[in-house]
Amino acid sequence: MPYIDPHIHMVSRTTDDYQRMAQAGCVAITEPAFWAGFDRSSAAGFADYFRQLTDTEPARAAQFGIKHFTWLCINPKEAEEVSLAREVLALIPSFLDKPNVLGIGEIGLNKNSRNEITVLEEHIALAAKFNKLILVHTPHLEDKLKGTRLIMDAIARNGAIDPGRVLIDHVEEHTVKAVLDRGYWAGMTLYPDSKMTPQRAADVIEVYGNERIWINSAGDWGNSDPLAVPKCRLEMRRRGHKDETVQKISFGNPVTFLSQSGKFHV
Ligand SMILES: [Zn+2]
C-alpha cells in the first residue's frame, strides 16, 4: 500500500534513505523549510535554500519515483532577528508559483518570544494574501501547549485563514484535542526518543479518532527515522486496525489536506 510522508527534511538525508522509503511504499513527501542546524548569515542563504527545495530536491526524489513538494518560510529559530526575517519574507512570493510549492511552513514558535510572534503574524498575513495553505511547527516540551495556543490565537486574529487549511504539527497527547476542537488539522511526528513514538501515535488515534490527523517522520539531520511512517503503519496493523484506517492516516488524510493547494497530485 502506498504512503505519504508529509513532513520530512530530505535535504538532510541520503539517497539511500530515498531508496529505502521508495521500497517501503513512499510515493510522495512534503518538505517544509526549517532550521539547517546552524543560523544562516544572510537572506541570500535562504534564497539558495529555496532554490534547493524547489529545483534540486524534486529532481533527486524523482529518481526514486517519489513526488517532492515543499513549503517556504523563515523558521522560528532564525526569526528572532526581525530585519533578517523580513528580507526572507520578501523573497518568498517569487517562489510561490513554482510547481512543487504548497504553501507557507513550517512557521510557528520556538521560545514563544515577542519577535517570533511578530514574524509569525507576518507569515500568516503572507499566506492570507496569496491564499496558501499553512504548516505549523509547535515548540517542544513544556512550552508546547502555551505555544500551540499562542499560534492558534495568532491565526484567528488574522481573520482571513480557514482553520481547515492549516496543519498544526508535532501535536502530543496534551495538545491534540485543543487543535482538533478548533477545526485545525493535526500532525503527529514519530521520533525515536521525543515527540511521539509509533505506539503513542496509535494510542492517540484510538482515543481521538482518525479525522483531520496524519503522521510524519520529520526526518532531518538529527536523531530521526525516515521509515517512521511505515513503522507506525505496522504498529497499527499489529493492534488489529483495519487496512482502511491505516491507509487513511498515512495516505488518504494527507491527500485530502494537501489537495487544497491545487498543486498536490499523486
Ligand atoms: Zn520539521
Side-chain angles (χ1 to χ4, degrees):
M1 291 197 295
Y3 79 89
I4 294 165
D5 191 338
H7 186 150
I8 186 165
H9 301 289
M10 293 309 296
V11 298
S12 308
R13 307 300 313 193
T14 65
T15 47
D16 286 358
D17 291 332
Y18 271 125
Q19 176 82 44
R20 292 187 300 143
M21 290 161 67
Q23 284 169 343
C26 183
V27 292
I29 60 116
T30 94
E31 174 157 6
F34 84 141
W35 189 57
F38 64 96
D39 289 348
R40 279 154 280 215
S41 57
S42 70
F46 285 88
D48 287 340
Y49 178 43
F50 295 162
R51 279 197 305 119
Q52 186 181 19
L53 289 173
T54 54
D55 289 339
T56 315
E57 211 54 46
R60 207 161 75 101
Q63 293 179 322
F64 301 90
I66 295 175
K67 289 201 170 173
H68 179 284
F69 299 89
T70 194
W71 310 76
L72 304 178
C73 75
I74 175 167
N75 63 89
K77 229 178 162 100
E78 284 168 282
E80 195 52 45
E81 195 184 328
V82 176
S83 58
L84 171 66
R86 287 189 173 137
E87 284 179 54
V88 177
L89 275 154
L91 292 172
I92 294 173
S94 65
F95 287 91
L96 287 178
D97 287 337
K98 294 270 189 183
N100 73 329
V101 177
L102 301 180
I104 303 298
E106 56 186 294
I107 58 171
L109 297 171
N110 179 46
K111 289 191 220 142
N112 298 340
S113 75
R114 181 92 288 268
N115 283 352
E116 287 175 13
I117 291 173
T118 299
V119 174
L120 170 66
E121 288 171 340
E122 293 183 19
H123 277 106
I124 294 166
L126 187 68
K129 180 177 175 190
F130 290 94
N131 193 29
K132 294 293 172 191
L133 299 179
I134 294 177
L135 193 144
V136 170
H137 164 95
T138 49
H140 303 289
L141 306 172
E142 68 270 22
D143 286 336
K144 186 178 285 287
L145 181 59
K146 183 182 173 206
T148 302
R149 287 195 180 124
L150 287 170
I151 293 164
M152 292 193 292
D153 290 347
I155 294 168
R157 267 200 308 282
N158 176 281
I161 306 279
D162 170 3
R165 291 172 55 83
V166 179
L167 183 123
I168 299 191
D169 218 330
H170 318 318
V171 301
E172 292 182 23
E173 291 85 345
H174 63 303
T175 58
V176 63
K177 187 171 187 302
V179 167
L180 294 174
D181 281 353
R182 286 175 71 162
Y184 296 97
W185 283 70
M188 292 189 285
T189 294
L190 311 165
Y191 264 13
D193 52 15
S194 68
K195 300 193 170 84
M196 285 269 181
T197 57
Q199 290 74 20
R200 284 168 58 196
D203 290 345
V204 167
I205 289 159
E206 285 160 15
V207 175
Y208 297 101
N210 57 33
E211 294 299 328
R212 279 185 288 119
I213 194 160
W214 76 27
I215 51 176
N216 61 68
S217 72
D220 60 10
W221 38 260
N223 191 14
S224 51
D225 180 2
L227 295 180
V229 171
K231 284 177 186 171
C232 187
R233 300 206 310 173
L234 281 177
E235 172 64 15
M236 289 180 67
R237 285 209 194 87
R238 191 186 67 76
R239 295 182 181 204
H241 285 283
K242 289 187 257 170
D243 280 354
E244 195 187 319
T245 310
V246 176
Q247 206 57 9
K248 182 167 193 225
I249 293 297
S250 57
F251 186 83
N253 281 353
V255 168
T256 302
F257 177 77
L258 299 168
S259 294
Q260 298 182 89
S261 67
K263 290 185 182 174
F264 184 86
H265 300 286
V266 280

